[in-house]
Amino acid sequence: MKDEIQNFFKGEVEDDEETLSKYSRDASLLLVRPQVVVYPKDKEDVKNLVKWVGENYARQDLAYLSITARCAGTDMSGGAIGESIIMDFSRYMNRLIGGPLPTNDKSAWEITVEPGMFYRDFEKITLAKGLILPCYTASKSLNAMGGMYGNNSAGERTLKYGKTEDYVLEAKVVFPDGNEYVVKPLSKRGLEAKMAQGDFEGDVYKKIFNLIQENKGEIEQAKPKVHKNSAGYYIWNIIQNQDSENYFDLNKLLVGSQGTLGIVTEITFKIVPDVKYSKLVVIFMNDLEPLGRLVDEILPLHPETLEAYDDKTMKLAVKFFFDFLKNKGPVGMMKFMLSFLPEAFIMLTNGFPKLIILAEFAGESEEDVQKQCENLKKKIEHFKLRVHITKNQAEANKYWDIRRESFALLRKHVRGKHTAPFIDDIIVRPEFLPKFIPELNQILGQYKIIYTIAGHAGEGNFHIIPLMDFSRSDTGSIIMELGEKVYDLVAKYRGSITAEHNDGLIRTPYLNKMYEPHILAIFSQIKRIFDQKNIFNPGKKVPTENTGGTKDYIYKHIAVEQKATHKV
Ligand SMILES: Cc1cc2nc3c(=O)[nH]c(=O)nc-3n(C[C@H](O)[C@H](O)[C@H](O)COP(=O)(O)OP(=O)(O)OC[C@H]3O[C@@H](n4cnc5c(N)ncnc54)[C@H](O)[C@@H]3O)c2cc1C
């Protein structure tokens, strides 16, 4: 296959052992070995490869030919791994194309980049102008822009600002016919013109429009009633008010579709002014019972973020304290150590709090944010919790470090065990948390595993990361059994099995816990409308025989060989 591709491909095509082993992993617990990895130099490479795959996919000598688009490979769902061709955008297609430029909307700017640009590089450009893409992830130092598009990523500021879908103005996308199309919001007239084209692109628009219109009632009913959801295809926001200039926006479907419908080659993001001043309030909870009511009382105060982590995360941070001190320098180290004194005191007097809540407020001046923090403290006085308003950014950073680094700490430190993300992104409405969390703990308690819980308390979205011993013969069955039970519980509370990390290989088989067969059939039809030949990232979102999306496939591909782990 390598030789044939090299005939028309300008970038490298690699199939050596080291490359294939590295690309067999993303940040999920699965291992799927590709046949070849390609690094496109430009969009011509992308289009030519898609055309070649479309023409040759049925050849007997090239079993299950397909393309899995990949950027930084930090996907936790197995969305960035596949059995055939991996197309890595991070080597060459990582440039700034234009901007930041002001838009007609005075409060927003736009910037256009290639998908392989890392967020950390993107942020340098935007922050230099006081601007930010506020849906950034906790993995922002690792991930790239195309992965955010692919997963409809979200983060600590999503509570107030929304997900990636809310920040994509326009994209250039290669469809499975091998042509690149501009995808942007259309007015009713624009849509009618598009549907009348009579070509592949026009057909896609027509069929998707009809499918959504014909099933309007069922689709509305099936919408998960949670603040954010990445499970299944995102069929809810494609069609808007018919008088609007944004009547029909195919990006609403493509963002979050994990490269199963189209491969993005250029993205124009909306970016907004960064906050001027912010301050963090830390709330220590020894009992989870009042959590739902507490969140309910905080949300009307419009915090910038409302995050949480549990006692196990805190214990890990204390245990591996010196990791946090690295790169801080002697003075920074001393300050950082002193800043932990209040926690040391709390631990000595009351033990570890069960949950630490971080509520951040932003505003135009220091006085303004201080006032907001004090308002909160006063409002929640009756809960009789310990509440601490941080004094400065350095102190706030201490809590953020623990929240953001919890997953990395787990990955590095617990000997003989490995992080196993499979129930890593559940979400239920915050008012259900007081009932939901004890039931969840009861399920997890049946298995003698270590796990941490951290997440977005304001949205009821929790990242549970168990540590598993992959040398044990029953690890695979525990993962399957536990996944089943936790997802049943999420379904009972009408939540979503993934708020932001997406379905990939690990969750696609469980979509039936959230959606009726009729909705799953709509997902299959969407896949067929775009990708009749199933050549784009098969086995994700819609199950396919042999190439993923089934429980059997997960079980077979759990990465027993953790030594081959591709550390991201
Ligand atoms: C420590 C850690 C913390 C994380 N925290 C968060 C978090 O807070 N919020 C969150 O949302 N996620 C989080 N994630 C998951 C992941 O980092 C994000 O989803 C991220 O945006 C993926 O970016 P990436 O560049 O690594 O994408 P990849 O892993 O390379 O790809 C992600 C998906 O997008 C598809 N894709 C890639 N390139 C393209 C393209 N050009 N066209 C179409 N599809 C494409 C891939 O096929 C894949 O399905 C975390 C992961 C880790 C390891």
Side-chain angles (χ1 to χ4, degrees):
M1 185 195 314
K2 182 181 172 186
D3 294 343
E4 280 191 53
I5 297 176
Q6 263 172 342
N7 281 337
F8 62 83
F9 203 77
K10 286 174 277 182
E12 289 86 19
V13 182
E14 294 173 3
D15 65 356
D16 58 283
E17 182 49 41
E18 198 188 333
T19 304
L20 297 188
S21 166
K22 176 179 165 193
Y23 284 85
S24 299
R25 301 297 313 270
D26 48 14
S28 72
L29 55 73
L30 302 173
L31 191 151
V32 177
R33 195 178 160 87
Q35 292 176 46
V36 77
V37 180
V38 302
Y39 306 86
K41 277 256 158 90
D42 54 25
K43 49 183 66 170
E44 289 312 310
D45 266 355
V46 181
K47 290 194 283 184
N48 288 337
L49 186 73
V50 173
K51 281 193 183 129
W52 181 81
V53 169
E55 283 157 13
N56 292 285
Y57 79 105
R59 263 169 56 184
Q60 294 293 319
D61 58 327
L62 300 168
Y64 309 122
L65 208 52
S66 67
I67 302 173
T68 296
R70 174 164 171 138
C71 286
T74 66
D75 191 297
M76 292 172 86
S77 70
I81 47 180
E83 292 188 21
S84 185
I85 303 169
I86 304 287
M87 188 187 265
D88 182 345
F89 285 89
S90 65
R91 188 176 284 182
Y92 298 114
M93 293 187 66
N94 54 19
R95 289 158 294 206
L96 170 71
I97 293 174
L101 294 169
T103 62
N104 290 339
D105 168 3
K106 284 202 174 67
S107 61
W109 278 250
E110 62 175 49
I111 177 168
T112 305
V113 296
E114 287 180 323
M117 177 182 273
F118 281 89
Y119 181 85
R120 54 180 183 260
D121 298 328
F122 178 89
E123 195 185 59
K124 274 184 208 141
I125 303 168
T126 65
L127 288 184
K129 305 247 176 207
L131 301 164
I132 195 156
L133 180 67
C135 54
Y136 63 79
T137 62
S139 50
K140 69 180 183 140
S141 58
L142 307 169
N143 77 274
M145 309 314 292
M148 292 183 75
Y149 183 97
N151 272 350
N152 193 9
S153 295
E156 63 206 29
R157 294 227 202 146
T158 290
L159 176 67
K160 189 161 174 181
Y161 294 89
K163 295 180 75 175
T164 302
E165 61 165 313
D166 301 305
Y167 292 88
V168 173
L169 294 174
E170 188 176 313
K172 290 195 178 144
V173 185
V174 175
F175 284 3
D177 67 341
N179 292 315
E180 184 189 69
Y181 300 101
V182 175
V183 179
K184 60 179 185 185
L186 298 174
S187 64
K188 192 158 187 279
R189 188 177 287 181
L191 175 68
E192 279 160 6
K194 190 69 87 182
M195 293 198 296
Q197 279 175 192
D199 54 10
F200 181 78
E201 185 196 22
D203 269 12
V204 165
Y205 277 81
K206 190 158 65 187
K207 288 177 182 164
I208 294 292
F209 176 75
N210 290 338
L211 185 66
I212 304 291
Q213 283 293 55
E214 282 158 17
N215 296 281
K216 219 167 149 184
E218 286 95 334
I219 288 177
E220 208 34 58
Q221 246 190 347
K223 186 172 182 178
K225 292 182 179 49
V226 283
H227 191 261
K228 57 189 178 183
N229 167 44
S230 276
Y233 284 126
Y234 210 71
I235 46 183
W236 292 278
N237 293 341
I238 308 169
I239 302 178
Q240 296 292 330
N241 178 349
Q242 62 169 333
D243 301 323
S244 154
E245 282 301 303
N246 300 345
Y247 174 53
F248 188 91
D249 188 357
L250 208 55
N251 270 323
K252 297 288 177 195
L253 175 63
L254 290 167
V255 175
S257 65
Q258 295 201 295
T260 60
L261 307 177
I263 296 179
V264 73
T265 50
E266 239 181 79
I267 315 163
T268 302
F269 288 102
K270 175 172 90 173
I271 46 178
V272 296
D274 196 10
V275 294
K276 287 208 176 95
Y277 295 91
S278 67
K279 216 172 206 351
L280 191 66
V281 183
V282 189
I283 306 161
F284 302 89
M285 295 185 81
N286 290 331
D287 174 14
L288 296 188
E289 195 282 321
L291 179 61
R293 282 179 288 122
L294 180 69
V295 167
D296 261 2
E297 291 207 22
I298 300 176
L299 286 180
L301 301 179
H302 305 293
E304 195 74 2
T305 61
L306 188 51
E307 300 282 295
Y309 52 83
D310 68 348
D311 48 346
K312 297 185 199 80
T313 307
M314 185 70 196
K315 279 180 195 162
L316 227 96
V318 172
K319 200 166 166 194
F320 301 110
F321 192 65
F322 285 95
D323 242 42
F324 281 120
L325 301 183
K326 280 186 203 156
N327 311 322
K328 289 194 189 294
V331 179
M333 198 185 269
M334 186 52 71
K335 276 192 185 159
F336 194 74
M337 285 170 84
L338 287 174
S339 74
F340 263 102
L341 283 179
E343 279 70 33
F345 180 72
I346 293 171
M347 280 172 233
L348 285 174
T349 49
N350 297 322
F352 280 103
K354 280 230 163 350
L355 202 69
I356 292 182
I357 309 267
L358 310 180
E360 189 187 30
F361 291 90
E364 287 299 310
S365 68
E366 295 235 15
E367 296 72 46
D368 176 20
V369 283
Q370 181 68 26
K371 209 164 132 202
Q372 293 185 57
C373 294
E374 275 157 19
N375 267 349
L376 166 69
K377 197 169 174 180
K378 196 153 191 305
K379 187 172 183 202
I380 61 171
E381 234 167 36
H382 64 99
F383 285 100
K384 300 199 169 23
L385 300 167
R386 207 183 107 82
V387 180
H388 173 62
I389 301 176
T390 52
K391 297 199 172 47
N392 49 43
Q393 195 54 45
E395 197 195 352
N397 284 347
K398 172 184 75 174
Y399 294 99
W400 281 124
D401 277 352
I402 300 172
R403 164 68 187 91
R404 291 179 184 140
E405 291 298 316
S406 58
F407 182 59
L409 272 175
L410 267 178
R411 277 162 74 88
K412 274 188 229 156
H413 284 296
V414 186
R415 197 169 299 162
K417 296 206 170 75
H418 292 272
T419 46
F422 61 101
I423 42 172
D424 49 294
D425 194 28
I426 54 179
I427 181 167
V428 296
R429 290 176 71 82
E431 66 257 34
F432 295 137
L433 288 177
K435 281 188 172 168
F436 177 81
I437 288 192
E439 283 186 57
L440 178 69
N441 279 330
Q442 202 259 331
I443 294 174
L444 293 167
Q446 293 164 10
Y447 301 84
K448 301 236 167 317
I449 49 174
I450 309 170
Y451 59 91
T452 60
I453 301 184
H456 313 288
E459 294 149 323
N461 175 204
F462 286 95
H463 304 309
I464 305 169
I465 311 286
L467 278 167
M468 313 286 289
D469 177 353
F470 284 84
S471 65
R472 273 177 57 168
S473 58
D474 59 349
T475 291
S477 14
I478 293 176
I479 288 172
M480 302 309 292
E481 209 179 285
L482 189 52
E484 198 83 34
K485 287 184 187 171
V486 171
Y487 292 154
D488 277 339
L489 182 67
V490 171
K492 181 174 142 189
Y493 286 97
R494 301 196 55 78
S496 166
I497 58 177
T498 175
E500 45 187 40
H501 295 173
N502 223 301
D503 299 319
L505 294 168
I506 199 81
R507 270 177 286 269
T508 294
Y510 298 97
L511 286 173
N512 63 0
K513 299 224 183 258
M514 283 178 62
Y515 301 115
E516 297 294 328
H518 183 63
I519 298 295
L520 297 177
I522 290 176
F523 294 162
S524 299
Q525 283 180 65
I526 290 174
K527 175 70 176 169
R528 276 198 303 276
I529 289 170
F530 278 87
D531 186 17
Q532 184 76 38
K533 298 172 184 168
N534 200 20
I535 56 171
F536 278 5
N537 215 8
K540 289 90 183 181
K541 298 274 166 196
V542 171
T544 356
E545 225 181 298
N546 302 320
T547 48
T550 62
K551 291 179 192 170
D552 194 39
Y553 192 88
I554 297 177
Y555 189 73
K556 281 194 188 131
H557 289 85
I558 288 176
V560 192
E561 287 265 338
Q562 287 289 327
K563 280 194 206 116
T565 301
H566 161 51
K567 293 255 188 236
V568 287

